[in-house]
Amino acid sequence: MNIEVKPLKTRRSRRGGDRARSSAPGQNPHLVTPFITRKIKPYEILDEDQLDQIEATSDRIMSEIGIEFRDDPEVVELFRARGVAVENVTGSAGDPAWRLRFEPGLARDILRTAPERFTQHARNPTKSIEIGTDASVFLPSYGSPFIMEMDGTRRYATLDDFENLVKLAQSTPWLHHSGGTICEPTDIPVNKRHLDMVYAHMRYSDRPFLGSVTAPERAEDSIEMCRILFGAEYVDQHCVIMGNFNTTSPLVIDGVTSRGIRAYARAGQGSIHLPFLLGGAVAPLTMAGQVAQNLAETLVSAAITQLERPGAPAVIASFMNSLAMRSGSPTFGTPEPATASLIMGQFARRYKLPLRCAGNFTTSKLPDGQAMQQSMMSALSAVQSGANFIMHMAGYLDGLLSMSYEKMMMDIDVCAALHAYLRGVDVNEDTLAFEALAEGGPGQHMFGCQHTLRHYETAYWDSALDDNTPWETWDENGRVDMATRANQRWKAQLAQYEPPPLDADKDAALKAFIARKKEAMPDMWH
């Protein structure tokens, strides 16, 4: 993809005209961390009795209705050995399947060996992250087949786009993780693109990343590439890669999913266990009902990890959404699913498990007011729920069908603001600032007082994109809107990008592995 950077036509006749849009690497340096340690308490919107009611309904779902497994007799036998009742059934395609019914509390009991908090190690040790308890990490969006241009034109994503998005994520301190399938590189065969995607994360980022989950053998390839990069012994003892797995809602886990989960767990690597619920379609309309179903699916999916390798990292997750009931179209960034995220946070703390939920969700087709209104509703629910692993925090547009370069920049600015928000408020002799008022006394401004001079660089978050100048300055500078500023910013960041160093021998070994794998199979485009 050719990037042409066109500078905006501006006049800077007024003081400070473009300071708020500075792209200096040192912007907000006091907020930069490899992951966030939350200093504000998560919201608790239900009492213990209400949580007990939802949990009891989730137990009824698992015990009376059950979860259907397909095409993985080995995982069924693992569950049978733990006392799960197994019934042979016929799947929707006529294939053998098994209905598993769990006694109340059994799935939670299996998960007692899963860690409450764990480290995902990066090839740059200073960028390793913590997942769980009071630690939170932000990731780019995941899985979109399209790129949305700023004018609303939609096109298929390519490997160039994928690499660009990895580079942009690497270039900001406000994302902590390189992500996974940031977009689908549709110009690469389906059965081979996972190799290029994992390599792009390894080559163009030095942060943690997600591997492939679309087939068990692709999961194995992702892990094997990590053994080349980190060393086999290191990988066996440390989490360096994770897979993001979806259940097939309602209440089905297919063999591709369960065998992929087992591959990551067997290698001691992490996994995220995500039901994709649309109220009125594959889940109840009501949020209490959705949470009960979500719990049943995510707990059973996560339990697979502990059957395969006790102690393997597992992240429970939720992706609960509403529908536009007049049309049946999915809606994202609406208030009801936001409350469900808060409830899932309460359950994650109850079960002492890390949580993934929400993100900067929107159905808007442009990086506009709708996009950011919906995104903030969703993203705030994630951080206020206490979620630990927050995907879709940058670039999400078009109901997850499209990635947007401009929306990515706008979302990253929101992520920067959330770093400041989640720091909370320090209360001590210095921050109470009595001396600031006492120095000049009544009627005197405090621009030059010692307290202001000591704190002015770190007192407030400084946006990289907002225009906070007076109307006259904005008018003289060309009336540039947010999307245009974001467009200029991503192009400038790509132009300035430099890849982190990678050992030449490891790079050569990775390329050789990819070449061997690609040569061993024909291209598949579906």
Side-chain angles (χ1 to χ4, degrees):
M1 179 178 182
N2 294 322
I3 305 299
E4 181 183 3
V5 181
K6 295 181 178 180
L8 296 177
K9 184 178 180 181
T10 61
R11 288 188 295 160
R12 299 187 182 182
S13 59
R14 295 181 183 270
R15 185 178 178 183
D18 220 24
R19 182 184 178 279
R21 296 194 296 278
S22 169
S23 60
Q27 191 171 31
N28 299 309
H30 60 296
L31 299 175
V32 176
T33 54
F35 58 89
I36 294 172
T37 300
R38 298 188 310 276
K39 297 296 179 63
I40 64 171
K41 293 182 179 180
Y43 280 20
E44 305 273 348
I45 67 170
L46 297 185
D47 60 34
E48 290 299 310
D49 180 64
Q50 292 170 310
L51 294 176
D52 289 344
Q53 291 181 64
I54 293 175
E55 183 178 87
T57 301
S58 179
D59 279 338
R60 286 191 66 198
I61 292 168
M62 288 185 275
S63 63
E64 297 179 26
I65 302 172
I67 307 293
E68 185 174 302
F69 279 77
R70 299 174 182 169
D71 192 32
D72 189 358
E74 293 181 10
V75 78
V76 173
E77 292 309 311
L78 290 173
F79 275 116
R80 194 197 302 271
R82 285 299 298 264
V84 177
V86 177
E87 175 190 357
N88 292 338
V89 296
T90 302
S92 59
D95 299 324
W98 301 266
R99 184 77 62 90
L100 275 60
R101 292 183 173 86
F102 297 74
E103 289 296 321
L106 180 55
R108 297 191 296 277
D109 187 60
I110 294 171
L111 279 163
R112 292 187 191 280
T113 54
E116 182 177 9
R117 179 174 174 137
F118 64 95
T119 303
Q120 186 182 358
H121 296 268
R123 70 178 179 92
N124 179 347
T126 67
K127 296 183 179 179
S128 295
I129 58 171
E130 296 286 312
I131 301 170
T133 61
D134 63 352
S136 292
V137 297
F138 295 160
L139 293 75
S141 194
Y142 183 107
S144 301
F146 299 109
I147 296 292
M148 189 73 75
E149 304 287 7
M150 197 171 73
D151 64 357
T153 301
R154 194 169 76 169
R155 61 175 175 80
Y156 281 105
T158 66
L159 183 59
D160 280 347
D161 291 308
F162 188 95
E163 292 174 349
N164 285 341
L165 294 168
V166 171
K167 293 173 183 178
L168 289 173
Q170 168 72 9
S171 299
T172 177
W174 313 125
L175 298 173
H176 314 104
H177 195 285
S178 192
T181 306
I182 304 184
C183 64
E184 282 283 351
T186 59
D187 54 336
I188 306 297
V190 170
N191 61 330
K192 299 180 180 180
R193 65 180 61 156
H194 66 287
L195 300 165
D196 297 287
M197 290 190 286
V198 172
Y199 176 75
H201 285 299
M202 292 176 166
R203 181 65 191 92
Y204 300 116
S205 173
D206 58 2
R207 290 181 169 154
F209 54 90
L210 298 172
S212 178
V213 298
T214 51
E217 60 272 17
R218 297 169 198 167
E220 297 282 7
D221 286 345
S222 302
I223 296 165
E224 190 58 34
M225 291 175 71
C226 286
R227 293 188 179 112
I228 295 171
L229 182 65
F230 291 91
E233 184 176 347
Y234 189 89
V235 170
D236 186 60
Q237 298 300 317
H238 301 83
C239 176
V240 300
I241 191 171
M242 298 205 296
N244 182 65
F245 292 94
N246 288 106
T247 58
T248 305
S249 303
L251 307 178
V252 173
I253 298 177
D254 63 44
V256 168
T257 297
S258 61
R259 286 183 282 128
I261 292 168
R262 289 169 53 220
Y264 278 90
R266 189 164 53 249
Q269 303 307 300
S271 51
I272 304 106
H273 302 268
L274 184 71
F276 193 114
L277 304 186
L278 295 173
V282 296
L285 286 172
T286 51
M287 300 321 300
Q290 276 200 42
V291 173
Q293 177 185 336
N294 191 93
L295 281 175
E297 294 188 19
T298 191
L299 290 175
V300 170
S301 178
I304 296 170
T305 63
Q306 303 310 296
L307 299 178
E308 189 68 38
R309 180 167 170 169
V315 179
I316 62 171
S318 68
F319 196 102
M320 290 177 274
N321 293 286
S322 52
L323 290 178
M325 298 311 296
R326 293 182 180 85
S327 66
S329 297
T331 53
F332 295 93
T334 51
E336 294 84 3
T339 62
S341 290
L342 300 177
I343 299 169
M344 279 300 299
Q346 292 184 261
F347 278 111
R349 289 186 290 280
R350 172 179 276 204
Y351 302 150
K352 299 186 184 304
L353 291 169
L355 173 67
R356 178 216 147 171
C357 70
N360 274 312
F361 295 169
T362 181
T363 52
S364 181
K365 315 308 177 288
L366 294 171
D368 58 9
Q370 176 187 334
M372 301 316 293
Q373 174 190 357
Q374 292 175 332
S375 292
M376 283 301 295
M377 172 67 73
S378 182
L380 277 177
S381 75
V383 299
Q384 290 170 342
S385 76
N388 309 107
F389 195 81
I390 310 178
M391 292 176 64
H392 303 303
M393 282 300 280
Y396 189 116
L397 208 62
D398 187 25
L400 188 54
L401 290 174
S402 300
M403 277 292 290
S404 161
Y405 286 91
E406 290 75 29
K407 176 71 159 36
M408 189 171 190
M409 294 296 99
M410 293 159 70
D411 287 339
I412 284 171
D413 211 44
V414 170
C415 289
L418 289 173
H419 279 68
Y421 179 73
L422 291 170
R423 290 182 75 202
V425 176
D426 290 327
V427 179
N428 55 48
E429 190 69 23
D430 185 40
T431 63
L432 287 168
F434 178 86
E435 66 177 271
L437 287 165
E439 183 175 324
Q444 300 300 309
H445 73 72
M446 283 172 266
F447 283 127
C449 78
Q450 291 303 306
H451 187 271
T452 298
L453 294 174
R454 196 162 62 246
H455 289 283
Y456 79 95
E457 290 185 312
T458 59
Y460 305 125
W461 162 72
D462 185 15
S463 170
L465 285 177
D466 288 354
D467 188 321
N468 297 313
T469 59
W471 183 91
E472 292 82 0
T473 304
W474 173 74
D475 180 50
E476 290 180 6
N477 283 344
R479 300 189 172 202
V480 180
D481 63 18
M482 172 68 89
T484 303
R485 295 195 295 272
N487 177 272
Q488 183 189 38
R489 184 168 177 80
W490 74 257
K491 291 177 178 177
Q493 286 203 344
L494 275 186
Q496 297 163 7
Y497 168 83
E498 294 183 6
L502 177 62
D503 179 83
D505 290 340
K506 291 181 178 179
D507 191 32
L510 286 167
K511 289 177 179 177
F513 176 85
I514 292 169
R516 286 197 307 272
K517 282 288 180 177
K518 287 188 174 184
E519 290 169 5
M521 52 186 166
D523 291 350
M524 294 175 58
W525 291 97
H526 299 286

